[in-house]
Amino acid sequence: MNEYPHTITIQNFTSSEDEGGGTVEEWVPYAQLEALVIPLSGTEFYQAQQTQNPIDYDVYIPFR
């Protein structure tokens, strides 16, 4: 059994200029990591909402 069975992608939000002088905003992949992703239960989600942080999952990654 794998300790980190999931694969996650960490992304950076970038803004660049296009040919017309406008800006293009996009998410660019930064790193792909093995992880353990655990969804929160209803009670934990409710408590997280009390502090105005929409937390849906706990994500654990190995020390790098």
Side-chain angles (χ1 to χ4, degrees):
M1 183 172 171
N2 189 358
E3 188 175 1
Y4 300 102
H6 305 103
T7 302
I8 61 170
T9 302
I10 298 176
Q11 300 177 330
N12 282 337
F13 186 73
T14 61
S15 178
S16 59
E17 192 172 309
D18 65 5
E19 298 84 23
T23 58
V24 176
E25 298 174 336
E26 62 183 346
W27 289 97
V28 178
Y30 175 73
Q32 194 166 10
L33 305 169
E34 292 180 340
L36 174 61
V37 180
I38 302 171
L40 296 177
S41 69
T43 303
E44 291 169 324
F45 183 74
Y46 176 76
Q47 290 172 350
Q49 290 295 327
Q50 296 301 309
T51 60
Q52 301 301 318
N53 291 328
I55 300 170
D56 296 330
Y57 301 93
D58 280 336
V59 178
Y60 299 94
I61 58 173
F63 179 76
R64 295 182 64 165

